[in-house]
Amino acid sequence: HAIFHLALGDLGVLPHQAAMIGDSLTNDIMPAKELGLTTFWIRGDRVFGKGDEGAADHVVTCLEEALELCGQEPGFEVRREAP
């Protein structure tokens, strides 16, 4: 969870003000959801599918779809931050 806390601190936002877009349920979605982030799982290769598929708030097929949905979430502003 440390990486999520670091990213939130760098962005200056609280977990409920942020979203995690990722392709790994166990490494991206489930830990982010535990912290209170809105989650977008990019469903693709099932190699990353070892986790609770119900953990994601949204299931998408590509990054563009996730970003579009992020922009529609109440209180969300899409900011593209480089890692």
Side-chain angles (χ1 to χ4, degrees):
H1 292 91
I3 190 75
F4 294 103
H5 288 291
L6 180 64
L8 292 169
D10 285 350
L11 293 171
V13 297
L14 298 172
H16 72 275
Q17 298 171 309
M20 174 63 196
I21 301 171
D23 61 356
S24 171
L25 288 165
T26 55
N27 295 327
D28 301 332
I29 303 305
M30 293 167 59
K33 185 69 175 174
E34 287 177 17
L35 290 177
L37 282 77
T38 299
T39 56
F40 294 83
W41 176 43
I42 301 174
R43 178 183 289 170
D45 188 345
R46 290 296 177 168
V47 169
F48 294 111
K50 293 184 172 101
D52 179 9
E53 292 187 23
D57 295 307
H58 304 277
V59 179
V60 297
T61 58
C62 64
L63 178 60
E64 292 78 18
E65 184 181 1
L67 290 171
E68 182 179 327
L69 286 173
C70 262
Q72 295 173 9
E73 283 283 315
F76 271 70
E77 172 189 341
V78 175
R79 289 175 21 194
R80 294 174 190 239
E81 300 288 334

